[in-house]
Amino acid sequence: MKADVSSKTNGHKHLVLDQGGLDAARKSLDDGAVTPSYGPWRDDVVQLLNDALATELVCVLRYKRHYFTANGVESPAIADEFLVHANEESGHADRIAERIVQLGGEPDFAPSHLLERSHAAYDESTDLQSMVRANLIAERIAVESYRQMIALIGDKDPTTRRMLEDILSDEEEHADELKDWLGH
């Protein structure tokens, strides 16, 4: 999508769409939403998204384990928060997988690939504070990885960028909530 600023009227530049790009969009209908303007970046974006998908799925598993194994005086409230976060991470994974398919890619849910592609680690802590700390570390890693993905994608794929910005907001909220639990 190469819009141009080539037309001038009374010294004012006008925004003009690239007719060649519009004509190309009429072809290759099997590609769905993926038009030629995605250029060479589509495969890279799909790879970034598959890594993010792995991260979200590992986070779901870690939060679920912590939800079921948390114990101690404060554990019911914190465990409930772990479950909320697990469900939100699962929603993120669904959105990411859906976007991968929209881009003509294949979402990779293979269990054997998850840990090798995930930015965050799985955790088997048994005490509550270690669980909170492990989840806070994972959320901070997610925040940083989403910030980097957003910067890398820039204007190459605005739809994916907006989705990642939305997920980033949730991850920042999770990190703030966990930070509050860390001192309890």
Side-chain angles (χ1 to χ4, degrees):
M1 180 173 74
K2 184 170 176 163
D4 199 356
V5 189
S6 59
S7 176
K8 281 188 173 182
T9 306
N10 298 332
H12 175 75
K13 294 180 180 182
H14 294 281
L15 299 177
V16 178
L17 296 179
D18 173 25
Q19 188 59 46
L22 296 176
D23 291 341
R26 290 179 171 84
K27 301 172 185 159
S28 303
L29 299 181
D30 289 341
D31 290 341
V34 180
T35 62
S37 68
Y38 278 88
W41 306 112
R42 187 196 66 85
D43 290 341
D44 292 340
V45 171
V46 168
Q47 181 60 51
L48 288 171
L49 291 176
N50 260 315
D51 292 350
L53 176 62
T55 303
E56 293 292 348
L57 293 171
V58 168
C59 288
V60 168
L61 297 172
R62 187 187 57 255
Y63 273 125
K64 285 282 195 164
R65 182 184 192 287
H66 290 170
Y67 168 72
F68 285 108
T69 62
N71 56 45
V73 175
E74 297 171 340
S75 66
I78 295 176
D80 287 347
E81 195 64 32
F82 289 161
L83 183 59
V84 168
H85 288 197
N87 291 335
E88 289 174 353
E89 305 295 1
S90 180
H92 296 163
D94 290 349
R95 291 178 67 193
I96 291 167
E98 180 179 10
R99 184 64 184 151
I100 290 168
V101 170
Q102 286 174 341
L103 291 172
E106 295 282 332
D108 186 350
F109 284 91
S112 61
H113 299 163
L114 294 181
L115 282 176
E116 64 191 47
R117 288 191 352 263
S118 175
H119 301 127
Y122 184 74
D123 178 75
E124 295 181 357
S125 296
T126 55
D127 70 280
L128 203 53
Q129 283 303 302
S130 294
M131 290 176 184
V132 172
R133 179 176 297 282
N135 286 313
L136 178 54
I137 290 168
E139 292 294 354
R140 289 175 50 83
I141 290 169
V143 166
E144 181 61 23
S145 64
Y146 281 121
R147 285 184 184 281
Q148 289 184 26
M149 282 188 273
I150 290 163
L152 286 169
I153 291 171
D155 63 355
K156 295 170 189 72
D157 182 350
T159 302
T160 298
R161 185 191 68 238
R162 283 191 306 273
M163 178 192 70
L164 294 175
E165 288 169 344
D166 188 43
I167 292 171
L168 171 61
S169 177
D170 289 346
E171 303 297 7
E172 289 174 337
E173 184 178 314
H174 292 172
D176 282 343
E177 292 166 356
L178 290 163
K179 177 188 65 82
D180 292 344
W181 284 110
L182 197 55
H184 287 23

